[in-house]
Amino acid sequence: MGGGFIEGRWVTGLGAPFAVENPSTGAVVTSVTGMSLEQIGDAIRAARHAFDAATWTDLPFGTRAEIVRRYVAALETRADKIIDLIALETGCPRFTSSMRSQVQTPLAQAHQIIDLAQSLPDYEDNPLPIGERVNLMNQPYQSLRHYTPVGVVAAIAAYNFPFLTALWKVIPALITGNTVVLRPSPLTPLSAAVFGEAAEEAGLPPGVLNLVLEGGTEGGQLLTTHADVDMVAFTGSTSVGVQVMQQAAATMKRLQLELGGKSAQIFLPDAIDKVVPVMVGACTAHAGQGCALGTRIFVPEADKPAILEKIRTAFAAIRIGGADDPSTQLGPVISAAQRARCEHFVALAVEKGGVVVTGGRRPEVPGEGFFFEPTVLDLPDNSNPAAQEEIFGPVLCIIGYRELAHAVQMANDSRYGLSGYVFGADRRKALEVGLRIKSGTVNVNGAMMSSYVSAGGQRMSGVGRERGIEGIRLYQQLTCINMGA
């Protein structure tokens, strides 16, 4: 495998080869021939030409929606293939809810994104007060908001949910009339091929959807700096997101950045029975490799000793294994480097006063692959490095609070602001606490991932939002049209 999909054609890569590993075994699956920088430039030019020709943009919305639905249907026929490839290249256990979130959930949401986009008007009336609808010269005025496509979108997906993070960019971009250059993570390039295959099958016009593969970062830098790219949609780490923002600044590109998180979960005193099962779920969800997972757990100080005992028992029963084992609850992290990151932060947490409640090491069985034990750290306070930095692995922190105001203060003591969680039998009190959390999303007694509800970060967790009305409008330019008599 190698190369990419440019202007409706598969091209052979002329760049450097790079290896793709199976996290479940640590073995190299295949070598992928990357694209040269010139070829990635060709993909950008193809997208630019397709947009400027306006054959896609000027299609009636209903016609474009019909083609995009064919595109989604072509992806749906490849669902089993996508599952196989994601299990192979990410290590996500195929028989878990995490795999459903990888494939079936985004495929269902794709149709909903199209439905929502079709419900939004191209023109909206500005809410002028009656006194401004007639000026001093007795002339009537009308003011409208007009929505048009942004242009060429560089969609840069993440390795943890490669299909989902790509689809959440590609579908809203296409349905609103943009053209796309998709770049998957070099760690997980295999599943991205289906985007080109589906474009062929659905009859997307040449240049509307382009796919580029590379093992390094030069192509990504070109996508974020090239003058012919109008928007960058990126999912990944905060450190890389900062670079993307800096690189895009010179040409004032539209940005959608979904970055890191260190989300808090606050358990009210009347909800401590939920702590352990919620922690098991957060830890085993794709081995903790989710930016919105609640990895900082705040519980009443008086209840913490009893909770820690239950954690030891529950976490000891978690079954670690490869992606293809039906009994696996916790799979591997993506790479040896990511496993080393988990080890580093566990050691640093202990050095700064934390205690390993359970886990904290590489498991003896299975011996191969990039596995790390499900780990809980008992931290003395929220200033511990393990509570401040995103680890991106099966490592959770539990911290005691004196009163709810103290819990809220610690929850907000973070440079991140992607998600947050509150659990309480007293729903009114739980909502009151949730309203005080500074985060792009707050979940009270349950989470939601819907095409009709947007998500996005505050502070160092990103800019812009995905899904929902905001996630569709982000791919459109706004022009205000003011008309007099």
Side-chain angles (χ1 to χ4, degrees), residues 395-420:
V395 181
L396 304 183
C397 308
I398 186 166
I399 304 169
Y401 66 81
R402 297 184 298 273
E403 66 283 321
L404 285 174
H406 181 217
V408 171
Q409 182 273 322
M410 290 191 291
N412 291 335
D413 178 21
S414 174
R415 67 190 182 114
Y416 298 107
L418 188 60
S419 193

Side-chain angles (χ1 to χ4, degrees), residues 8 96 228 402 483:
T96 61
D228 281 342
R402 297 184 298 273
M483 297 178 290

Side-chain angles (χ1 to χ4, degrees), residues 82-298:
I82 298 168
I83 291 171
D84 290 341
L85 291 171
I86 287 177
L88 182 68
E89 66 183 355
T90 73
C92 182
R94 64 169 68 235
F95 303 102
T96 61
S97 60
S98 294
M99 183 59 82
R100 288 194 292 276
S101 296
Q102 294 270 13
V103 183
Q104 287 92 340
T105 296
L107 284 173
Q109 290 181 340
H111 287 291
Q112 296 167 351
I113 290 170
I114 299 169
D115 292 340
L116 180 56
Q118 284 190 282
S119 74
L120 300 178
D122 290 337
Y123 295 89
E124 292 178 324
D125 185 63
N126 276 316
L128 291 174
I130 191 67
E132 293 186 23
R133 292 188 181 272
V134 179
N135 68 8
L136 295 176
M137 303 300 294
N138 202 33
Q139 293 175 314
Y141 263 86
Q142 184 177 13
S143 182
L144 301 174
R145 296 189 296 275
H146 181 210
Y147 297 96
T148 57
V150 170
V152 175
V153 175
I156 304 176
Y159 71 74
N160 58 333
F161 287 82
F163 180 71
L164 177 148
T165 56
L167 198 72
W168 280 354
K169 297 165 177 52
V170 168
I171 299 303
L174 292 180
I175 193 61
T176 49
N178 300 282
T179 58
V180 179
V181 181
L182 171 62
R183 179 198 179 270
S185 166
L187 295 173
T188 54
L190 304 181
S191 57
V194 298
F195 286 94
E197 295 171 4
E200 282 187 303
E201 182 177 323
L204 283 181
V208 169
L209 188 284
N210 306 273
L211 169 67
V212 298
L213 305 180
E214 67 161 346
T217 61
E218 288 187 348
Q221 292 172 0
L222 184 64
L223 287 167
T224 58
T225 57
H226 200 293
D228 281 342
V229 174
D230 301 293
M231 175 177 173
V232 178
F234 169 82
T235 301
S237 69
T238 292
S239 59
V240 178
V242 169
Q243 296 176 33
V244 170
M245 201 171 200
Q246 292 170 337
Q247 290 160 192
T251 48
M252 294 289 182
K253 300 187 190 307
R254 176 78 57 85
L255 290 175
Q256 183 274 310
L257 305 176
E258 205 268 19
L259 307 178
K262 195 68 184 179
S263 301
Q265 302 204 60
I266 297 177
F267 291 84
L268 274 59
D270 61 8
I272 58 172
D273 60 310
K274 299 184 183 298
V275 174
V276 175
V278 168
M279 288 183 68
V280 169
C283 191
T284 57
H286 195 17
Q289 297 171 111
C291 48
L293 291 175
T295 55
R296 290 185 298 150
I297 315 298
F298 296 99

